[in-house]
Amino acid sequence: MTKERAYFESLALKEEGKLCPQHVPEVYHFDRTMSLIGMRYLEPPHIILRKGLIAGVEYPLLAEHMSDFMAKTLFFTSLLFRSTTEHKRDVAEFCGNVELCRLTEQVVFSDPYKVSEYNRWNSPYLDQDAEAVREDNLLKLEVAELKSKFCEKAQALIHGDLHTGSVMVTRESTQVIDPEFAFYGPIGFDIGAFLGNLILAYYSQDGHADQANDRKGYKEWILKTIEDTWNLFHHKFTALWDEHKNGPGEAYLPAIYNNPEVQLLVQKKYITDVFHDSLGFGVAKMIRRIIGVTHVEDLESIADAGKRATCERRALNLAKTLLKERRKFESISEIVSAIQQF
Amino acid sequence: MTKERAYFESLALKEEGKLCPQHVPEVYHFDRTMSLIGMRYLEPPHIILRKGLIAGVEYPLLAEHMSDFMAKTLFFTSLLFRSTTEHKRDVAEFCGNVELCRLTEQVVFSDPYKVSEYNRWNSPYLDQDAEAVREDNLLKLEVAELKSKFCEKAQALIHGDLHTGSVMVTRESTQVIDPEFAFYGPIGFDIGAFLGNLILAYYSQDGHADQANDRKGYKEWILKTIEDTWNLFHHKFTALWDEHKNGPGEAYLPAIYNNPEVQLLVQKKYITDVFHDSLGFGVAKMIRRIIGVTHVEDLESIADAGKRATCERRALNLAKTLLKERRKFESISEIVSAIQQF
């Protein structure tokens, strides 16, 4: 990866930090020549969220905090709040982060759907599952649409890699780190990354259950966190829209859209599109974590390969179904039901 | 408008000229300080296409040439042919043309749907029609989606103002000029601009008919040109895709998409989306030419205001219907039938 990644990481940290200082570590200094970022030390007991999810730790404020981070960073960098002039200026700047965009294209939208030296999976258990993905034309059709959106749709400044390894937590604090993949892309890519990784954490729990802890209660907590995160995001994003509907965003001018009926119509359309994008990107990121180059510790740390394969296959089958049928789903509670059915 | 427009006009002329030299006048010299473009003189009998359409002149090669221009300029600047690196570099460059993007946003997607000092229409005949547009929530919902695509979807280098006043013609030659609105936007915006202006030309013919020429044959020729332009574009764009399916474009990697069944699926999806975008943008551009700031000479030159209103209302009603129901249409022949029914 290029040295430039540190520049875009610091740029995104500063921008996100301005918009949501509670959940982004402060940057004190950046030196472009040295690619050096001086930033807040996230002191113990902060740990990577993924580690906490593997250990079975509940974070009662996680949905509240992550919905806050996503609603604020995504709303305030979209055309719902920005002028076209600001938007095009910032889109152009982040076009420079192309190397990391290309990496995402490859590992999320390409490699899992073809034979690639980088792919790996829980063999021999998932050999047929991996092959089935490579031969599923409808899956490839859907993934092509998502890739086009990723490459072409400059909707907001997205973190670009918002999985559970990019979040540090305590029971009281949630801090989003590592935005070196940031660029102007589709809002659903961030939401999907976070929800998709929570779903992987959910399916991995049976692999971590033992006689002392059957993880049943914890699985319920993960499902509730998935549901709460989306619902709170929806609520907060819409509230920001209502609050700022008289400007300065140029997408929906008040002289056209400030009657209650049309305001409801455009918000419902916008949020529904973000919901379906989130589902699509979220499950695409699940698929790549099971049959692509980089896996997640949630599943990898299950020692028994057969037990791990059962968890992985459930996740993979949910993901394949949602990728093809996501537009039929209207609410996050339907998604939670589907997760439980696989 | 800013002095920078000449820079982007020359940049787009040079790029389009490389991709389709037969239909773009050559640029000999550009001086940025002076905003001076030295380019080919389009000698008589070249005239502005719109003038020819008003005079009732048939251009037998128009559909062939315009489909050629659109297929080549749009295909070769999209991710079907370009790498992500080239795409993001050029997207960033054309983000600088923001002032003219803002102008389009205002005159096409905003002003016609609100009270604006700039709007004008054939009053009093169309007073109620203009008011009905401003109060049509479903129309506003559709126009919001199109505006988002215009602002966010960097699909290809589009001309940005491809109406019949931006084309110079003889019976043998077709030359596309004035790309000062060029930027990376949705492919359907160019196709729609051209087709929408042909539809306006069609509806204006009854206003130009007289005892010497009832214009019936000419109306048939316009409809045939609309149909041929889309069908030839579809054919040529797909042929370019097939020809270059093994690279260098990074959107559909051969290792994933080079089986005939999935190739057909993704092409059908891509072209259908472009078709519906073209219809949406095309009729949005019709609406703005009837109740927005800038009108078209095709209609304005009809001296009898009552007769003109009849032509304008037919165009407006078709446009409103297609804007809301465009996704129900699957072929250009269905559109031609709809045009005749209004």
Side-chain angles (χ1 to χ4, degrees), chain A residues 43-67:
Chain A
E43 70 289 349
H46 278 101
I47 59 165
I48 292 290
L49 171 58
R50 195 186 298 284
K51 304 276 188 190
L53 293 167
I54 294 167
V57 183
E58 293 188 14
Y59 297 96
L61 298 174
L62 183 63
E64 192 69 66
H65 289 170
M66 286 304 294
S67 61

Side-chain angles (χ1 to χ4, degrees), chain A residues 15-277:
Chain A
E15 180 68 24
E16 293 167 352
K18 258 188 282 180
L19 301 173
C20 188
Q22 302 89 340
H23 303 301
V24 180
E26 190 181 349
V27 172
Y28 306 126
H29 179 71
F30 176 66
D31 184 306
R32 193 161 183 173
T33 308
M34 301 292 285
S35 295
L36 179 144
I37 305 176
M39 58 187 282
R40 178 186 162 191
Y41 169 58
L42 293 170
E43 70 289 349
H46 278 101
I47 59 165
I48 292 290
L49 171 58
R50 195 186 298 284
K51 304 276 188 190
L53 293 167
I54 294 167
V57 183
E58 293 188 14
Y59 297 96
L61 298 174
L62 183 63
E64 192 69 66
H65 289 170
M66 286 304 294
S67 61
D68 214 46
F69 172 82
M70 294 193 295
K72 285 176 180 162
T73 59
L74 298 171
F75 176 84
F76 286 117
T77 59
S78 77
L79 284 164
L80 295 173
F81 186 77
R82 289 278 179 85
S83 70
T84 298
T85 305
E86 297 166 313
H87 181 254
K88 287 212 186 285
R89 179 199 63 205
D90 292 352
V91 168
E93 165 100 281
F94 278 93
C95 277
N97 203 13
V98 58
E99 282 312 315
L100 293 205
C101 288
R102 286 171 64 96
L103 183 58
T104 301
E105 285 173 42
Q106 183 193 331
V107 298
V108 177
F109 301 109
S110 298
D111 281 351
Y113 304 90
K114 67 188 185 70
V115 173
S116 161
E117 58 183 317
Y118 304 110
N119 289 340
R120 61 188 189 84
W121 55 82
N122 189 353
S123 183
Y125 299 99
L126 295 191
D127 287 358
Q128 289 190 328
D129 302 79
E131 191 185 347
V133 168
R134 292 196 302 270
E135 299 192 347
D136 189 329
N137 287 342
L138 291 178
L139 217 54
K140 293 179 179 184
L141 178 68
E142 294 296 342
V143 133
E145 180 180 330
L146 292 170
K147 185 177 175 186
S148 288
K149 279 195 179 165
F150 180 80
C151 295
E152 296 170 347
K153 187 172 179 172
Q155 195 175 17
L157 177 61
I158 66 174
H159 178 284
D161 198 28
L162 196 53
H163 55 74
T164 52
S166 296
V167 182
M168 293 194 75
V169 285
T170 68
R171 279 183 61 87
E172 294 79 30
S173 166
T174 306
Q175 302 294 323
V176 178
I177 59 171
D178 290 354
E180 73 267 25
F181 285 80
F183 76 112
Y184 275 74
I187 285 176
F189 193 77
D190 273 4
I191 303 168
F194 187 66
L195 297 182
N197 275 268
L198 286 181
I199 300 173
L200 288 175
Y202 171 86
Y203 283 119
S204 73
Q205 294 303 316
D206 287 350
H208 300 301
D210 55 28
Q211 286 188 314
N213 186 348
D214 66 7
R215 299 278 182 129
K216 278 191 185 155
Y218 195 60
K219 284 163 71 178
E220 288 302 314
W221 176 80
I222 295 178
L223 291 180
K224 186 171 183 317
T225 301
I226 290 169
E227 191 159 350
D228 288 353
T229 300
W230 170 261
N231 285 334
L232 286 166
F233 167 80
H234 181 173
H235 175 77
K236 291 173 185 182
F237 191 88
T238 310
L240 287 171
W241 188 338
D242 287 337
E243 187 184 340
H244 297 284
K245 68 183 176 184
N246 292 316
E250 292 189 344
Y252 299 86
L253 299 182
I256 307 175
Y257 292 99
N258 262 357
N259 81 61
E261 193 192 332
V262 75
Q263 179 78 356
L264 269 181
L265 276 174
V266 294
Q267 287 187 344
K268 185 168 190 301
K269 168 89 170 65
Y270 193 102
I271 295 287
T272 301
D273 287 346
V274 168
F275 182 61
H276 291 147
D277 282 0

Side-chain angles (χ1 to χ4, degrees), chain B residues 54-73:
Chain B
I54 294 167
V57 182
E58 295 188 14
Y59 297 96
L61 298 174
L62 183 63
E64 192 69 66
H65 290 170
M66 286 304 293
S67 60
D68 215 45
F69 172 82
M70 296 192 294
K72 285 177 180 162
T73 60

Side-chain angles (χ1 to χ4, degrees), chain A residues 79 84-85 102 105 110 137 140 144-145 147 151-154 250-252 256-257 259 261-262 269, chain B residues 79 84-85 102 105 110 137 140 144-145 147 151-154 250-253 256-257 259 261-262 269:
Chain A
L79 284 164
T84 298
T85 305
R102 286 171 64 96
E105 285 173 42
S110 298
N137 287 342
K140 293 179 179 184
E145 180 180 330
K147 185 177 175 186
C151 295
E152 296 170 347
K153 187 172 179 172
E250 292 189 344
Y252 299 86
I256 307 175
Y257 292 99
N259 81 61
E261 193 192 332
V262 75
K269 168 89 170 65
Chain B
L79 284 164
T84 298
T85 306
R102 286 171 64 96
E105 286 174 42
S110 298
N137 287 342
K140 293 178 178 184
E145 180 180 330
K147 185 178 175 186
C151 296
E152 295 170 348
K153 186 172 180 172
E250 292 189 345
Y252 299 86
L253 299 182
I256 307 175
Y257 292 99
N259 80 61
E261 193 192 331
V262 76
K269 169 88 170 65

Side-chain angles (χ1 to χ4, degrees), chain B residues 83-99:
Chain B
S83 70
T84 298
T85 306
E86 297 166 312
H87 181 254
K88 287 212 187 287
R89 178 198 64 205
D90 293 352
V91 168
E93 164 101 281
F94 277 94
C95 276
N97 203 13
V98 58
E99 282 311 316

